[in-house]
Amino acid sequence: MIGIVDYHLNNLRSVQKAFEKVGVQSFISDDPAELQSAEKLVLPGVGAFGQAMENIRALGLQPLLLDHAASGRPLLGICLGMQLLFSKSYELGAYDGLGIMRGSVKQFPDTVKVPHMGWNQIEKVKQSPLLKDVVENSFVYFVHSYFVVPDDDVTLTQTEYGFRFTSIVQDQNVFGIQFHPEKSQTTGLQLLKNFAGL
Amino acid sequence: MLAKRIIPCLDVDNGRVVKGTNFVGLVDAGDPVEQAKFYDGEGADELIFLDITASSDNRATMLKVVRMTAEEVSIPFTIGGGIRTTDDMRTMLRSGADKVSINTAAVNNPKVISEGAEKFGVQCIVVAIDAKKTAADRWKVFIHGGRTETGLDAVEWAQRCESLGAGEIMLTSMDRDGTKDGYDVELLKRVTDAVRIPVIASGGAGNLDHLYQAFAQADVDAVLAASIFHFRQYTIAQAKEYLRTKNIFVRT
């Protein structure tokens, strides 16, 4: 069973519905005890980094997420959820993230429109079971003003927006997707299906 | 590369689509959810629902439309019309809308933009601006569905919205709306030059070249159109094919 982590920032139904579409059962919970039983965890999210970390700590979800990642079970961060996996963010200040992956979260430069909003493409950098049957240069739906700069070689795909930034990461059992697979039609559904099948 | 977006806009009154109900092949062409599914399948990049219902009694009807659309449609959609407070925003977002659009409420209480952006993120706050040309190179902002002039300069107001935390501007030319004479490219260009957030062109699309002109001349990020798609003058696929031949990058 896939557990979708609710840290009270957004509507999680679209993620759950996307899993339903590929025939995968999931449950939404903000309770660490309940989420502990999940084989796989999904950390979705939109909103501000600082507020998200505050909620995660207040709900006692930080140890759960760290333990889950350390146990080798699959964990997937989506959008802000991907950014939260990293050590540090500079969104409206400087905040510590979960630190499951090393790297930081930075704002797009003045040379491009922000937020980066709409359908953009993903270019594969590495192969991974997560990218099974995902076509090169597929269009997926992005909405974000910040992007991750990993310290390590974890980039699976990159996306061009004035320059190339990391759009999917993997470090062993931990995955991050910067765009919204639940809003990205067939490509998005394929990624969620692949994650569910890990 | 980021694709330029094509966004059909559905006007919904009391839970029913009021324009363009002559869709062929839909069981109930006046059903907003049916139309949303249709456009999703046809390759629309996003959808906008404008709730034009005057009375607040019918909010429940609109919420039902939002919930059902969220269940059925796999592309992002925005809800506008009658959203005044961050509570209204929360209700819509929690029901499954990806973004909310505010117009009159933003002018009357600009703080609602920043409060919404802080609570839900800038990415889901769209400010809709209805602008009308009042002198050479000057456009004023109107509210209450275009009935009330505010005295605000449209370009300055767009910049203010950006600084307050709007994630996107949906800019409608009242002079062009419904005319099919093309978007007000001059107005659009003034605003895209003045802000860094994405701008959606609205008001006046009558043919595919109008869409092209908005992208090519005004560098907008998206075009909104209603009647050219609703009355099946063009399909979304035809629009994209046309833009592609003109070297505008669109999603396949």
Side-chain angles (χ1 to χ4, degrees), chain A residues 13 17 119 141 143 183 185, chain B residues 3 40 46 70-71 123:
Chain A
R13 175 66 193 134
K17 187 197 70 185
W119 297 83
Y141 192 82
V143 191
K183 289 284 167 182
Q185 295 187 325
Chain B
D40 179 4
E46 277 181 40
E71 289 296 312
Q123 78 291 331

Side-chain angles (χ1 to χ4, degrees), chain B residues 111-165:
Chain B
K111 258 177 43 192
V112 79
I113 302 172
S114 42
E115 287 169 3
E118 271 161 38
K119 286 200 163 93
F120 314 115
V122 297
Q123 78 291 331
C124 58
I125 311 297
V126 183
V127 177
I129 300 175
D130 291 343
K132 192 173 183 167
K133 197 165 188 172
T134 52
D137 213 27
R138 274 195 88 73
W139 292 265
K140 288 283 166 63
V141 176
F142 283 67
I143 53 171
H144 297 126
R147 293 187 303 276
T148 312
E149 185 182 337
T150 63
L152 291 169
D153 177 77
V155 178
E156 286 169 16
W157 173 235
Q159 287 177 311
R160 176 119 192 267
C161 292
E162 175 181 32
S163 65
L164 285 165

Side-chain angles (χ1 to χ4, degrees), chain A residues 41-43 74-86 100-101 122 128 130-131 142 148 150 154-157 166-181 191 195 198:
Chain A
L41 284 183
V42 177
L43 183 67
L75 168 65
L76 170 64
I78 296 175
C79 197
L80 176 63
M82 169 200 195
Q83 300 180 357
L84 294 169
L85 300 175
F86 284 81
I100 296 170
M101 290 193 206
I122 49 174
S128 161
L130 188 74
L131 300 180
F142 288 87
V148 300
V154 292
T155 301
L156 288 187
T157 71
T166 294
S167 44
I168 304 182
V169 289
Q170 175 185 1
D171 184 3
Q172 301 170 67
N173 59 316
V174 182
F175 300 82
I177 299 181
Q178 179 59 72
F179 48 89
H180 288 275
L191 287 163
F195 176 74
L198 288 172

Side-chain angles (χ1 to χ4, degrees), chain A residues 45-87:
Chain A
V46 290
F49 193 100
Q51 182 71 54
M53 280 309 298
E54 201 180 305
N55 289 13
I56 284 173
R57 290 198 189 97
L59 290 159
L61 293 166
Q62 187 164 5
L64 165 91
L65 291 162
L66 296 179
D67 290 349
H68 186 92
S71 76
R73 286 173 292 167
L75 168 65
L76 170 64
I78 296 175
C79 197
L80 176 63
M82 169 200 195
Q83 300 180 357
L84 294 169
L85 300 175
F86 284 81
S87 18

Side-chain angles (χ1 to χ4, degrees), chain A residues 113-146:
Chain A
K113 293 197 189 189
V114 181
H116 171 226
M117 186 184 284
W119 297 83
N120 204 332
Q121 295 164 291
I122 49 174
E123 305 164 1
K124 290 183 195 177
V125 176
K126 264 199 253 177
Q127 289 300 328
S128 161
L130 188 74
L131 300 180
K132 184 176 161 271
D133 297 331
V134 171
V135 178
E136 179 74 350
N137 287 322
S138 292
F139 281 97
V140 290
Y141 192 82
F142 288 87
V143 191
H144 60 129
S145 304
Y146 294 79

Side-chain angles (χ1 to χ4, degrees), chain B residues 152-231:
Chain B
L152 291 169
D153 177 77
V155 178
E156 286 169 16
W157 173 235
Q159 287 177 311
R160 176 119 192 267
C161 292
E162 175 181 32
S163 65
L164 285 165
E168 198 167 32
I169 301 278
M170 179 178 134
L171 183 59
T172 304
S173 160
M174 291 171 56
D175 304 301
R176 298 299 179 90
D177 204 21
T179 64
K180 295 191 158 242
D181 288 340
Y183 299 102
D184 186 342
V185 169
E186 206 188 340
L187 163 68
L188 291 166
K189 181 147 178 38
R190 289 296 307 274
V191 172
T192 57
D193 283 346
V195 300
R196 262 184 77 206
I197 53 178
V199 174
I200 305 169
S202 161
N207 61 47
L208 299 183
D209 196 54
H210 292 152
L211 309 185
Y212 169 67
Q213 295 303 335
F215 289 127
Q217 289 189 42
D219 193 32
V220 298
D221 305 277
V223 289
L224 179 146
S227 48
I228 63 165
F229 296 130
H230 297 335
F231 294 108

